[in-house]
Amino acid sequence: MTRPSTLRGAPGLLVTLFVACLTPALAACGASTRDTVLSCTAPSDCGPAALCVQGACQASTRPAADFTSPATLTTNRAVAVTATVHDPDPGDSVATWAWSVTRLAADCDADADVADAATLQAVFWCAGTYQISLVVSDSTGVESEPARRTVTVTALPDAPTVTAGAARTVEHRCAGAPLRCELEQPVALSAAGQSPLGGVLTYQWTAIPPDASRAGAAAGLSPSATARDATLNIETEGGPISGAWRFRVRVSDGSGNLAQATQLLTVGNRPPVIDGAPISLDHRYEDGAYVASGTLTVPVYDPDGDPLEVGVAMSEPSGSGCASSFTEVAAGTGLFSLSCANPLSLTSAPRALQATAGDVNGAEASVPVVLEIRNRLPVVQPAAGPGAAYLTLDHSVGTCPGGSGLCFQVGGPNPFVAIDPDGDPVSAITLLPRVEPARTASVAELGAGASADTFRFSTPVGLPAEFRSPAGASGFSVTATTADPFGASAPSQPLFIQILNRPPAVRTSRPVTTVAHRYLASASEYQATAPLAVFEDPDGDPLVQGGSVGDQSCPTVTLGADGAASVACRRAYQPAPTSPPTLSGFAGTHQVTAVAGDGWETTGAVTAVTIAAAPPTVPSYSGAVESCACKCREWDPEPPAVCIGGWGWAAGTGRGAFPVRPADPDGDPLAVTFSLVAIPPASIPTGASVTPAAMNGLPESSTTTVASSSFPVRVVVSVSDGVSQATATWTATDVSCSKAGQNCQ
């Protein structure tokens, strides 16, 4: 090595060279090296195995160690071996002692306290040879050469004996604040010792933890550690407590002879429990991406209540096409975020948190926790509000599906809205119209309106009760579905169709009307027809007669396809000599109510129908009445009486037919009466009479004759149609024959 004197003017280099010799390779420099480095203020400036002495670095010299073993060693006795050590460095000292006792030829190990101490405490339990070794270290960590001695141990006669209780196992529990851990229940330690020499034995229990990490656990014995039988509890302030504990009981007789036994106690430790149930997280659709975020916590607990160290980690599956992050913010808890452009990647990629937990006693658990990104399907609800159960619509009449016949129809545009809880885009709403099975004639259609998202129900107009009830209820309903990128929604609750109806209305009314009548001889009845009112339906429904009301003479109301209502009035009458006309009660005013219905509701209009009756007429007459007789123009004066002048027509004598008759504008049958009256100053001719053709009916003039022995004859004629009467005077001044002069044979 270069001496410092040869490196004047280069102190920096000088320092570098000496520091190099004070590295861990110092042993290669030799233990007697005294080269120094100027300028040090603390040992740390000089590196390991070196001292800072008066501002200069100096290599540490190995300390020296030795000890003297007892001349005689026996089993079952406590032995103390004291070290003799020396450190040649000024100001340095021995800091640690490392003892070891190794059996060379013996049946068991020695029970030795080999902690850092200048005196070794040992007990040999088996006869044989052992090696005792000691290595000491100074304050810089430089170790001495090992000091070794081989000793021979002989057996001690009449040594005491002792047995300890059976091995036990017990769990532990931690609870409280501050945390306190202890055995789940106290454990009984027991021992039984004997001494061949007699006398009283003393007992001493010592707790031997499973390892150095349990040094913070305190074992307490009651009533004391010197009791033969004691109750044990082990406590710690949240530190490790589990493992195989040994409780050594050592007995001593009056001569200091020893015996020992060990009772084993296993303090159980159950590993942490990680709740591996899947964690679900809702997603949302934002700015064209499917995202999910939130605070994720994996529940972890320790069955024993031990303090835990918990960790949770996660990484996005390779190839998912999504970006995710997970930042642990607390034990078992982390902030998670995920963004996917493709919706399928959001839910199909397998994701899991890896949760780990360890307790202070060394038990560990590791569980993968599946992370489910959840999708909430869209919901379809009525546009009127989620509580709506009915959709109320007007109806109309149109061509039935297929183009044949007329149908009641009700429908409209889509009445639903789609709401996605996650904000996902949804497909167009699909309508699902439904007709109750019992309504076999009704049909549901989609897209029957101006756009595809419309619905319509149709029922033939002949079945109004199948279309709707009087209160508007129908057997029709509409549900709907939609879909987000992950699946279809459930069908909505049905909207039941409530169908409105506007009753028929009176377009033209006739509060009063007067009509003529006719007597129809072929039917033997009086007849009249009167218009009543004109109806229309605001919904276009076909109108039907809805229970119109008249009287006995006017019972039949007819409703035309154009909505016009009329009434037919009739009264039967068969003319007979003993049955006067019954026009009275037929002619006059009749209250008639015309009622039009649309199948559900009706509307009426009252009309006072007056059936007019024109009075009959009968003309007066004065003149000869027709009476022709076939007479011989000249008789042979000689008997027998023979007509020699030929037969010819000539005026008859005493009987003739009136040439006029009564008339009725309505064609009504008439009751006709004749009365002979005097022509002042003369009286009624003797034997005068009138013979009518019929009492009731229209008498023919040719058959109404007057007979009298002399003329003139006056007849008062009265005619009645049952309501009105007319009177005339017929005067037969003579008889005449319009065929006079004509041959009658």
Side-chain angles (χ1 to χ4, degrees), residues 119-181:
T119 300
L120 170 68
Q121 304 289 337
V123 177
F124 296 92
W125 301 106
C126 297
T129 58
Y130 296 82
Q131 183 183 75
I132 301 174
S133 176
L134 172 64
V135 175
V136 299
S137 301
D138 64 13
S139 61
T140 66
V142 175
E143 295 181 347
S144 69
E145 292 289 343
R148 297 184 178 92
R149 298 287 187 274
T150 299
V151 297
T152 298
V153 179
T154 60
L156 178 69
D158 300 325
T161 60
V162 67
T163 58
R168 296 284 303 277
T169 298
V170 67
E171 299 295 335
H172 75 279
R173 290 288 182 271
C174 298
L179 190 65
R180 178 173 176 266
C181 303

Side-chain angles (χ1 to χ4, degrees), residues 345-363:
S345 299
L346 183 77
T347 55
S348 62
R351 296 179 179 87
L353 304 173
Q354 190 64 38
T356 59
D359 64 16
V360 296
N361 291 290

Side-chain angles (χ1 to χ4, degrees), residues 1 43 81 117 142 182 203 262 273 285 396 419 427 449 501 511 579 585 598 600 669 672 699 712:
M1 179 176 291
V81 178
V142 175
E182 62 182 352
Y203 291 80
T262 299
V273 176
Y285 183 74
S396 62
I419 300 173
S427 65
N501 180 65
S579 176
D598 58 5
W600 305 285
V672 183

Side-chain angles (χ1 to χ4, degrees), residues 111 206-210 243-248 260 262-265:
D111 193 0
T206 301
I208 304 173
W245 288 73
R246 293 183 300 138
F247 289 89
R248 183 185 68 195
Q260 72 177 23
T262 299
Q263 183 170 349
L264 296 178
L265 175 64

